[in-house]
Amino acid sequence: LQPPNLDQFQKRLQLLTYKEITEIWQNERRSTEAKEMNAPQIQKLKDELRRDIDEVVQQQRLRILEEGARFRNPPKRSSRDKFFFCRLSPNHKLFHYDECDEKATKVPPLDDLTKKVSVSDIKSIATGKECPHHKSRKQQYAFSLMLESGKTEAVSLDFVAAEEELYNIWHDGVKVLLRETMVTEAAARDIEMLLNMEIKLQLLDVEGVTIPSDLPPVPPLPPNYNFCYNL
């Protein structure tokens, strides 16, 4: 309100609780951060950092694939629903998988997972209704590794994830293995979160300095370049 004197300032403070003042401070901080993040200098810095942050998220996805996860086997007419555990090998060349118990809590070692699919045999990843085994809404987190014909007996390796987070991570991880761009909202959210954190860390040294909304003009060229520095 820009009170003109200290008396009016004190009267205004008496009308505000500590909670209201704290909310005002937080709103001012968020407003300042929003303006800083939209500054062209910050956007350019984000573009320079994005590739490194994208690589961090990719490596995190691959590490989770190495740890492995339990998936539901697509139901077949001749058998009940079963579960299998799948892990990516440390060299990222093979997916090891085998049937497991629904209540199993320990991660099986790679040697116990007798079935294998080579990453080089995977031509694409299918999701949702594109999956060969998708039959109902209960399989909304379904995805399939589509295999090269003639290289393996199976046409695809089919998965049904128990939750959206697991589905997103494995979808992203397989995309990384296929040298494709991660497309899930979870990947975009993680990249943006890490980018903002990195930007805030780099801006700590300029805290309290107003970042201009426009880039400073480039000075004109000198009339000539006939200058030097003599020691």
Side-chain angles (χ1 to χ4, degrees):
L1 297 178
Q2 300 294 326
N5 55 62
L6 191 59
D7 291 337
Q8 291 189 18
F9 176 67
Q10 291 177 341
K11 289 179 181 178
R12 176 58 180 165
L13 283 183
Q14 293 175 358
L15 300 176
L16 296 172
T17 64
Y18 178 76
K19 181 180 179 181
E20 290 173 329
I21 294 176
T22 303
E23 290 178 353
I24 292 174
W25 286 343
Q26 291 176 347
N27 291 333
E28 289 178 347
R29 178 177 54 81
R30 283 193 289 263
S31 177
T32 302
E33 288 181 356
K35 290 181 181 179
E36 290 178 347
M37 290 299 177
N38 291 326
Q41 305 93 317
I42 303 303
Q43 292 298 323
K44 186 175 181 180
L45 179 58
K46 289 180 71 172
D47 292 339
E48 293 177 355
L49 294 173
R50 188 174 296 276
R51 180 177 298 180
D52 293 337
I53 297 299
D54 190 73
E55 179 67 21
V56 170
V57 175
Q58 290 182 18
Q59 293 302 318
Q60 183 259 359
R61 296 304 198 251
L62 293 177
R63 283 196 295 271
I64 294 180
L65 264 62
E66 290 178 27
E67 296 173 0
R70 184 178 66 244
F71 297 92
R72 181 182 293 277
N73 248 328
K76 299 178 180 179
R77 294 179 181 178
S78 58
S79 64
R80 300 179 180 177
D81 292 354
K82 293 183 179 180
F83 292 82
F84 71 99
F85 201 95
C86 186
R87 293 182 64 184
L88 178 66
S89 61
N91 60 8
H92 300 169
K93 292 184 178 181
L94 294 169
F95 277 107
H96 299 252
Y97 68 100
D98 211 336
E99 292 183 357
C100 69
D101 186 80
E102 178 182 359
K103 299 180 181 180
T105 57
K106 294 183 179 180
V107 176
L110 290 178
D111 293 338
D112 291 350
L113 303 175
T114 59
K115 302 175 184 178
K116 302 176 185 178
V117 166
S118 176
V119 173
S120 61
D121 292 339
I122 302 173
K123 63 180 181 180
S124 64
I125 178 172
T127 60
K129 296 180 180 180
E130 298 176 355
C131 299
H133 62 292
H134 186 274
K135 295 181 180 180
S136 66
R137 288 187 176 181
K138 294 181 179 179
Q139 298 175 0
Q140 59 178 326
Y141 302 133
F143 63 96
S144 298
L145 305 183
M146 307 305 295
L147 307 177
E148 295 283 356
S149 59
K151 292 188 177 182
T152 60
E153 295 181 2
V155 178
S156 63
L157 179 58
D158 304 322
F159 299 76
V160 179
E163 57 186 7
E164 185 178 7
E165 182 181 3
L166 180 62
Y167 166 83
N168 287 332
I169 289 175
W170 275 71
H171 188 189
D172 292 335
V174 173
K175 284 284 189 179
V176 173
L177 291 173
L178 298 177
R179 301 185 184 278
E180 298 178 3
T181 303
M182 297 181 294
V183 296
T184 67
E185 293 183 2
R189 183 175 62 250
D190 290 349
I191 291 172
E192 193 64 24
M193 177 189 67
L194 292 175
L195 264 176
N196 290 334
M197 290 176 60
E198 183 64 26
I199 291 293
K200 289 178 180 179
L201 287 174
Q202 297 205 12
L203 292 179
L204 287 177
D205 292 337
V206 295
E207 186 174 359
V209 177
T210 302
I211 299 177
S213 57
D214 298 322
L215 293 173
V218 178
L221 295 174
N224 60 68
Y225 294 91
N226 299 326
F227 51 84
C228 63
Y229 180 77
N230 294 320
L231 294 175

